[in-house]
Amino acid sequence: MSRSVPLELIAAIHSHDKFLCVSHVNADGDAYGSVLGMIHLLRNIGLQATPVMPEPVSPDFAFLPGAEEVLLPEAVDVAEYDFIICLDMSSPDRMGALHQAAEQAQTPLLVIDHHVTNTHFGVVNWVEPDAAATCQMLTRLADELFAPIDLNAAMCLLTGIVTDTLCFRTSNTTPEVMEAATRLQRKGASLPWIVQKTLNRLPFRILRLWGNVLPGVQLRERVVWAAVTQEQLRAADCEDDDPRLNSVLAAVEEADMSAIFTEKRDETGRPIVECSFRAKPGFNVGDVAFRLGGGGHAPASGCTLPGSLAEVVDRVVALLIQERRRQAIVFEGEVST
Ligand code: 5GP
Ligand code: MN
């Protein structure tokens, strides 16, 4: 059941002029789609809106209208803005350097998000865990703001819906999601084009990376996982892994949970591991990620942990196995009653 848009959010937007729109590090289609969709909607009602992201725009999403305008935090004077609108992000640390800048300038935050793990860190928090994408929520916000959805906004918003639902395949793809998508299509956004630019795009080097990573894939007690080393990334000429690998693991019939672990280094050079989790319907990896300091949704979540790849994999896989066992008992209990 969708709740209504908070009146405080509508009032805050209608009574101010200058907005900064931001989303999270390691941005996905819903992060870019909601930030850029929001700037188009705000501009369509005569407001000033600037997109900012904690990292340079990924070339994968450079096709989105407005992507060329996205600024890095160091190029922004936060104090000039009335509000920062935080989209598709569950906690303020996810906006990187802009977090400290916002605290210093004491610029108030408006939060619009669908992560169940959202920490409600804004002065107004509109959080709908039932929504399939933040972009889906924005189609409703557009109506409440009387903001016309032009072609630019429609393309951005449909991209977020398509990527977060893996093209209408996730369990949260309700009739409301389909209605929102249909509306955006009617505004001119091309579904096949967006699918081609996102989910159906597989650079050859990513395929080579998977070729190197998949021999090490493991399955134990219905948890499947793979680890990606820096050496494998370098050998395949990749900067990062690709979220689609987790979609492949998530489909493994013999597993209820899946994980990809990617070896990284933080700014100070210390080893860290990015963990990305998926769960089948009836299972929940959102809680596990939240307990580990990350966040996400029941079926898809993640976190970043300090430590070597081997050490983090051992610790987290043990936790996932334990959690899957516990949830299987609860799940089966539910089914049999
Ligand atoms: P992915 O595995 O595709 O990177 O992320 C799946 C979901 O988990 C996304 O909704 C993403 O925002 C969330 N997520 C991934 N990593 C982190 C993290 O380190 N912290 C938090 N709070 N959320 C994360
Ligand atoms: Mn999202």
Side-chain angles (χ1 to χ4, degrees):
M1 261 281 279
S2 50
R3 276 154 272 175
S4 51
V5 181
L7 287 177
E8 301 87 330
L9 179 64
I10 308 292
I13 294 175
H14 272 158
S15 56
H16 291 86
D17 303 310
K18 278 192 89 173
F19 299 87
L20 204 53
C21 296
V22 66
S23 191
H24 60 81
V25 286
N26 240 327
D28 55 13
D30 196 28
Y32 286 116
S34 57
V35 165
L36 295 173
M38 190 72 199
I39 65 159
H40 296 304
L41 294 178
L42 293 173
R43 289 173 186 177
N44 290 349
I45 48 171
L47 301 174
Q48 291 182 54
T50 306
V52 57
M53 291 296 271
E55 294 160 326
V57 173
S58 155
D60 295 357
F61 292 99
F63 72 91
L64 287 173
E68 67 291 348
E69 291 183 49
V70 175
L71 301 176
L72 286 168
E74 50 269 32
V76 171
D77 181 2
V78 176
E80 280 181 14
Y81 293 85
D82 298 318
F83 282 103
I84 301 177
I85 305 184
C86 300
L87 296 134
D88 195 45
M89 43 183 279
S90 56
S91 53
D93 54 296
R94 299 276 285 158
M95 59 175 146
L98 205 73
H99 181 203
Q100 289 79 34
E103 278 193 341
Q104 254 165 27
Q106 297 196 334
T107 309
L109 309 179
L110 302 175
V111 172
I112 304 176
D113 185 32
H114 70 132
H115 290 89
V116 68
T117 55
N118 192 289
T119 58
H120 293 245
F121 53 95
V123 289
V124 178
N125 300 281
W126 179 30
V127 179
E128 286 207 4
D130 294 342
T134 302
C135 284
Q136 181 199 346
M137 297 169 67
L138 294 189
T139 60
R140 278 177 43 219
L141 180 63
D143 295 340
E144 301 282 331
L145 289 173
F146 296 102
I149 301 178
D150 61 348
L151 176 60
N152 285 345
M155 277 172 61
C156 296
L157 298 183
L158 189 56
T159 297
I161 294 176
V162 165
T163 53
D164 260 21
T165 61
L166 304 175
C167 203
F168 312 109
R169 289 187 296 149
T170 52
S171 56
N172 54 9
T173 307
T174 56
E176 286 74 29
V177 176
M178 303 308 291
E179 278 158 12
T182 304
R183 248 185 101 192
L184 298 170
Q185 268 191 303
R186 292 225 162 89
K187 302 285 181 191
S190 164
L191 179 61
W193 189 75
I194 289 170
V195 172
Q196 201 48 45
K197 286 282 189 188
T198 56
L199 302 172
N200 275 3
R201 220 186 109 254
L202 186 62
F204 183 64
R205 60 178 204 295
I206 298 280
L207 197 65
R208 278 189 37 214
L209 173 68
W210 293 1
N212 296 336
V213 169
L214 285 176
V217 70
Q218 297 200 54
L219 173 70
R220 199 185 308 154
E221 290 202 40
R222 298 194 64 81
V223 174
V224 63
W225 73 95
V228 182
T229 65
Q230 275 301 314
E231 203 182 319
Q232 287 167 334
L233 287 167
R234 267 195 304 275
D237 199 20
C238 292
E239 276 188 16
D240 213 335
D241 64 335
D242 186 286
R244 277 167 295 197
L245 180 54
N246 220 344
S247 301
V248 175
L249 293 198
V252 169
E253 201 174 8
E254 294 83 358
D256 299 318
M257 291 181 179
S258 65
I260 302 281
F261 300 95
T262 309
E263 184 179 45
K264 294 259 170 97
R265 285 193 182 274
D266 69 7
E267 319 79 63
T268 64
R270 278 181 320 166
I272 53 169
V273 178
E274 259 176 33
C275 312
S276 164
F277 308 125
R278 298 290 181 270
K280 293 257 174 75
F283 291 86
N284 180 338
V285 283
D287 293 346
V288 183
F290 190 65
R291 267 193 274 143
L292 292 169
H297 318 274
S301 67
C303 61
T304 303
L305 297 172
S308 74
L309 189 59
E311 179 194 342
V312 171
V313 169
D314 278 358
R315 183 155 69 87
V316 176
V317 165
L319 193 65
L320 288 172
I321 288 177
Q322 187 188 31
E323 200 37 44
R324 195 217 66 87
R325 255 192 235 153
R326 194 187 63 77
Q327 291 181 17
I329 295 166
V330 176
F331 187 39
E332 299 204 333
E334 271 173 17
V335 168
S336 63
T337 51

